[in-house]
Amino acid sequence: MGKYAFGIDVGGTSVKLGLFTVEGELVEKWSIPTRSDNGGKDILPDIAKSVLKKKEEKNLSDEDVVGAGIGLPGPVDSDGVIRKAVNLHWENTFNVADELSKLLNGMKVKAGNDANVAALGEAWVGSGKGCKDVVMVTLGTGVGGGIIVDGNMLSGSTGAGGEIGHICVDPSETAVCNCGNHGCLEQFSSATGIVRLLEKEIAANPDEHTLMNEKKHTAKDVWDAVEAGDALAKRVAEQFGYYLGFGLANIASVVNPELIIIGGGVSMSGDVIMPFITENFKKFAFHACKDTKFVRAVLGNDGGIFGAAKLVL
Ligand SMILES: [Zn+2]
């Protein structure tokens, strides 16, 4: 029985890698650049080279290593088939787990969507430790999601399980989401969504005195202004919370999680964001789901490598 596992988290600019004990202790982490030019053909060979080098450096035998898990920015089904990964310039449908396993001389490999995998990491050793039913929503440039049911990651039949960012929360929205639909949660509750709401609010109230109309703003500026008591920023936060609370209340009616974890860059703004989400969640949630606990993610950018390692354990 092996004692170690590799966790790999592939992003558009860099690949994060970690060596873990089977108990979930991070032994070492490092990263390599993502070479996505040339149709992304070098990405998996680069990863395999880096993993094998570390294995040799640490003097690990084949028996010492349980396997490697990999999280990818695209829909990945439970067999390891990825359909498309725009950021990696991967256009084809292929089995990424089999491909990487070959490059790793037959090492066991499991693959998953990066947001799903991050949720698995948080449920394993992060803020969801000890919980079997967990929903995690990652609020970054976009909105990602992961659903853990009875300890297992939900990938779905085409790998789109947990795609919380693209549930429709406003059918009347006319602006187009990155996915091509209209009214997706991502358009309101991602970092870019918050700035979009802010710009609309400023345009609608040009004469209002606010901390927000001096320059170009980020989502973090909005939360800082909320803490400083700015009325316009508070209205933006209320809209953010309305859509996210509404979306998560509906998810809760399907999954009935013990815990909902809020992660991603937006969650780094601190506890100031939480009441806007939880108050709206309570408003819309089914009575048996109203007391669902909310916490912020604790693994930060490492959630992906932790969850990836857990995939093979
Ligand atoms: Zn969308």
Side-chain angles (χ1 to χ4, degrees):
M1 174 72 189
K3 298 185 279 290
Y4 298 94
F6 288 95
I8 304 154
D9 183 20
V10 185
T13 52
S14 72
V15 180
K16 296 189 198 75
L17 301 102
L19 176 65
F20 294 85
T21 67
V22 294
E23 287 84 24
E25 195 187 319
L26 177 60
V27 178
E28 193 178 330
K29 65 172 174 174
W30 67 101
S31 68
I32 58 172
T34 306
R35 290 199 291 154
S36 58
D37 48 349
N38 192 22
K41 282 190 186 70
D42 299 313
I43 297 172
L44 291 180
D46 284 354
I47 290 170
K49 231 178 277 168
S50 185
V51 167
L52 292 174
K53 193 174 146 216
K54 188 63 67 182
K55 182 167 167 260
E56 199 183 303
E57 196 183 300
K58 295 282 174 189
N59 248 320
L60 301 175
S61 69
D62 289 349
E63 290 71 39
D64 289 332
V65 179
V66 182
I70 181 168
L72 296 145
V76 183
D77 70 19
S78 55
D79 294 327
V81 174
I82 189 161
R83 277 172 168 71
K84 198 178 194 176
V86 183
N87 291 341
L88 308 181
H89 301 139
W90 289 356
E91 297 289 336
N92 303 327
T93 296
F94 71 104
N95 192 312
V96 62
D98 286 354
E99 196 75 26
L100 183 59
S101 175
K102 263 182 236 154
L103 293 165
L104 289 170
N105 309 322
M107 188 187 287
K108 178 179 161 189
V109 174
K110 293 267 184 188
N113 165 265
D114 53 5
N116 291 356
V117 165
L120 187 64
E122 287 286 340
W124 185 31
V125 293
S127 56
K129 192 175 176 181
C131 296
K132 293 177 96 178
D133 298 294
V134 174
V135 168
M136 177 165 162
V137 60
T138 304
L139 310 173
T141 313
V143 171
I147 295 173
I148 310 299
V149 178
D150 206 15
N152 298 307
M153 190 181 87
L154 180 91
S155 298
S157 60
T158 60
E163 246 348 312
I164 296 172
H166 300 284
I167 56 169
C168 183
V169 291
D170 183 1
S172 70
E173 174 65 58
T174 52
V176 184
C177 178
N178 283 329
C179 74
N181 287 348
H182 302 257
C184 294
L185 179 60
E186 181 165 297
Q187 291 181 276
F188 306 96
S189 300
S190 62
T192 39
I194 292 168
V195 171
R196 195 178 72 93
L197 291 175
L198 172 69
E199 283 165 357
K200 279 172 91 170
E201 198 60 36
I202 290 173
N205 303 282
D207 300 326
E208 184 173 340
H209 177 74
T210 167
L211 295 169
M212 307 304 303
N213 50 15
E214 297 293 317
K215 56 176 171 69
K216 268 268 180 211
H217 289 286
T218 64
K220 186 178 181 303
D221 296 331
V222 174
W223 297 110
D224 289 346
V226 169
E227 283 191 302
D230 189 80
L232 186 141
K234 265 190 187 161
R235 293 202 302 276
V236 172
E238 182 54 41
Q239 291 167 52
F240 153 89
Y242 168 87
Y243 291 110
L244 188 52
F246 175 70
L248 289 175
N250 288 315
I251 299 283
S253 288
V254 180
V255 181
N256 189 199
E258 298 165 72
L259 192 68
I260 296 178
I261 303 172
I262 309 292
V266 173
S267 75
M268 311 265 184
S269 286
D271 287 332
V272 58
I273 73 165
M274 297 306 266
F276 293 96
I277 307 170
T278 53
E279 278 161 29
N280 282 290
F281 175 85
K282 277 193 167 56
K283 214 181 285 172
F284 295 111
F286 179 61
H287 61 81
C289 302
K290 277 198 195 295
D291 294 326
T292 307
K293 278 186 281 174
F294 279 76
V295 289
R296 289 197 292 127
V298 293
L299 298 177
N301 291 331
D302 289 343
I305 51 173
F306 273 93
K310 179 62 176 159
L311 270 184
V312 280
L313 297 173

